[in-house]
Amino acid sequence: MAATSSESRNRSNPVHSFNKILKSSKSRSTGVEDSLKKLRGLILVEGIPAGADPTLRPRIWKLLLGINECSASTFLQYVERGPCDVREKIRNDTFRTLATDRGFKERVREDMLVRLLDAFVWKNHDRQERNQLAFTYVQGMNVLAAPFLYTMPSELEAFFCFSKFIEESCPLYVQPTLEGVHRGLKLLDRCLKIVDRELYDHLRSKNLSAEIYAFPSVLTLCACTPPLDQVLQLWDFLLAFGVHLSILCVIAQLLLMRDEVMKSASPMKLLRNFPPLEALPVIGIAVTLVRDLPQDLYDELVKHPYEVYQ
């Protein structure tokens, strides 16, 4: 009877469920794709439990990103080169990264951010000639690096996760022109016009487009809105289902403050700083909004962070 009771508790324990999927991802019979499908479903339904197992989120993020190995010698080669050619630009941003979050500041020192970003620039300096897209340091990259340094057990793992994420999930967001960001802002306006025409018209009547009020949120995939624990929960969702959904997550935040915005004669005063992030309601609304979008618009949304227009 005791064993049965223990098994029952394990089945109802989200940590156990996640660990079971992570273990099965290494099995030849199950395969990674099947494990990823189950993992995404569990993230959506349960969410990654906070605090119960500090190794859980790092392992899940690495599986979602397809990170199997992290070469210490490769990372150290980049670090040993020292400051990259845009170090001054990096330092102008790193000192203010999530500056109001005490937990982040206690865990992630500025020199860690600088080192990771320097190494990223060196890594892509070596491979620019082989790539259609060039990568260097651009505005907002410091905030995109922050969740990886906070979450991962080591700078090494944070570097490889961040690099893979930038280069494959949202490469157009970090081009010198911030092409993906500007595409995302235009898509935000188009999506909002469909899902809430009244709110869209009210903002436009005040000459407020997404370019004006949503730039920081789109640029950082919502990571600029505290608290950090909610950002991490939202990023679990984005890493599982795609960074394109961050556009719908920004709209979800607008909808959660809709009444105040609609009553305001000067909505920008409210939109300058979004209310504290609440990941679960935002995710719930974002998932619902997907169903409201025409297929061709949703296809554009999916591709906008990475597809280069010819």
Side-chain angles (χ1 to χ4, degrees), residues 93-105 142-143 224:
D93 289 341
T94 49
F95 76 93
R96 54 174 173 248
T97 305
L98 306 187
T100 61
D101 192 293
R102 183 180 298 177
F104 176 78
K105 288 297 184 184
N142 57 312
V143 182
C224 64

Side-chain angles (χ1 to χ4, degrees), residues 138-150:
V138 299
Q139 177 188 6
M141 203 179 271
N142 57 312
V143 182
L144 295 176
F148 292 106
L149 278 167
Y150 184 85

Side-chain angles (χ1 to χ4, degrees), residues 18-84:
F18 277 109
N19 277 322
K20 187 176 179 182
I21 294 172
L22 290 167
K23 186 177 180 180
S24 70
S25 71
K26 299 174 184 177
S27 165
R28 289 183 180 180
S29 60
T30 307
V32 173
E33 284 306 315
D34 185 58
S35 296
L36 284 171
K37 185 177 179 181
K38 292 177 181 175
L39 191 60
R40 291 184 180 107
L42 201 54
I43 287 171
L44 191 59
V45 174
E46 298 276 0
I48 300 175
D53 179 355
T55 74
L56 196 56
R57 178 170 277 125
R59 288 185 289 135
I60 290 170
W61 282 20
K62 284 197 286 187
L63 182 60
L64 290 170
L65 288 165
I67 300 293
N68 300 313
E69 294 182 8
C70 299
S71 169
S73 60
T74 300
F75 177 56
L76 289 172
Q77 283 175 14
Y78 299 133
V79 171
E80 286 168 358
R81 295 191 192 183
C84 67

Side-chain angles (χ1 to χ4, degrees), residues 273-290:
N273 292 297
F274 281 15
L277 184 65
E278 295 180 79
L280 287 180
V282 166
I283 291 167
I285 294 169
V287 170
T288 303
L289 293 177
V290 171

Side-chain angles (χ1 to χ4, degrees), residues 199 201-208 257-272:
L199 178 57
D201 286 343
H202 178 64
L203 292 173
R204 295 300 292 186
S205 74
K206 308 297 181 184
N207 295 315
L208 291 176
M257 55 191 298
R258 184 185 193 278
D259 290 347
E260 291 85 353
V261 172
M262 290 297 296
K263 291 174 187 174
S264 176
S266 303
M268 191 60 199
K269 290 181 180 178
L270 297 170
L271 298 175
R272 192 167 285 115

